Amino acid sequence: DGPDILVDTKLGFNVGLVGNLRLTEHFDLRFEPGLSFNQRNLTFSGFDREYDALREVKSTYIHFPLLLKFSATRTGNIRPYIVGGISTALNLSSNANSKDDNSNNIFRMTKTTQFYEVGLGIDLYFEYFKFSPSIRGVFSFNDELIRDNDPNSPWTGNVGSMKTRGVFVNFTFH
C-alpha cells in the first residue's frame, strides 16, 4: 500500500572459479564459487529530507552455485549450451545482527539467501584456450529483508517481501 519504493540498480562485479565434472558427452555438473560486489539505492517516498528517504544497500556476497550444463553437439569451433541449477549466497555486509534499524540509518538484510539460476551461452574454441560468454538470470527464493523493530516503520512496514533478481553477463576462460 502507498507509494512505490524506487530501486536504482547499479552495476556490480563478480569474480570466481569454475569446477567442472563431465557426466556424459552433453552434460556437465559445475560448481562456480565466486565473490560478488554490488549496490542498490532504495528511495522511499513521503520524506522531506533525502537523508531519511535514501538507503544505500551495499552487498558483498560469497556465491556458491551448483549447476547442470547441457551442451549441444559441437559444430566447428562453436558449442552452444544452457545451464541451470541452485545456489546459496552469504551476504558479508548484511547487518543482520545489528540491533539498530532504519531509524538509525541501518538497512538490514538476511545473512544467507537461496537462488535458482538459468542461463545460456556458447563455448568458442581457440587454439590455446576456450572462451565461454554467457547470460544468466539469478532469482532468490526467500525474502531477504529484516524488518525494523517498529512494525509501522515507514521503511519496512509496508514491504511484503524483498528478493534479489539479477542478470549476470559471464566471461569464462578455460
Side-chain angles (χ1 to χ4, degrees):
D1 296 336
D4 289 337
I5 300 168
L6 302 176
V7 180
D8 181 21
T9 57
K10 302 286 184 183
L11 290 178
F13 179 76
N14 181 45
V15 63
L17 302 170
V18 176
N20 192 68
L21 175 64
R22 171 145 300 176
L23 301 174
T24 67
E25 180 183 347
H26 295 285
F27 285 98
D28 295 288
L29 185 62
R30 300 183 75 139
F31 180 60
E32 299 181 357
L35 181 64
S36 162
F37 306 94
N38 55 43
Q39 177 178 333
R40 291 167 279 202
N41 291 339
L42 306 176
T43 304
F44 296 86
S45 57
F47 291 95
D48 295 332
R49 299 182 319 174
E50 184 178 336
Y51 174 81
D52 291 331
L54 179 65
R55 292 295 181 262
E56 293 179 348
V57 183
K58 296 179 180 177
S59 300
T60 302
Y61 289 101
I62 299 176
H63 191 219
F64 302 102
L66 185 62
L67 307 166
L68 187 62
K69 176 183 174 184
F70 172 74
S71 301
T73 304
R74 181 175 167 174
T75 304
N77 289 331
I78 297 173
R79 188 174 195 185
Y81 65 88
I82 57 173
V83 66
I86 58 171
S87 62
T88 189
L90 178 64
N91 187 349
L92 300 177
S93 52
S94 71
N95 293 324
N97 297 328
S98 176
K99 300 217 184 305
D100 292 331
D101 60 13
N102 278 297
S103 60
N104 296 340
N105 204 21
I106 303 292
F107 195 86
R108 299 179 299 175
M109 303 282 286
T110 58
K111 195 86 159 156
T112 59
T113 306
Q114 288 71 40
F115 302 93
Y116 66 94
E117 303 187 19
V118 293
L120 55 100
I122 189 166
D123 290 331
L124 302 170
Y125 294 86
F126 295 96
E127 187 173 351
Y128 297 109
F129 67 95
K130 180 171 65 170
F131 174 58
S132 301
S134 66
I135 296 175
R136 188 176 307 161
V138 179
F139 310 95
S140 68
F141 284 116
N142 51 320
D143 184 11
E144 298 176 61
L145 180 64
I146 296 177
R147 305 286 187 275
D148 288 342
N149 299 326
D150 176 9
N152 297 319
S153 166
W155 295 281
T156 63
N158 62 349
V159 177
S161 69
M162 188 173 288
K163 298 180 180 185
T164 296
R165 294 181 308 222
V167 176
F168 285 27
V169 177
N170 295 322
F171 300 109
T172 307
F173 297 90
H174 318 235

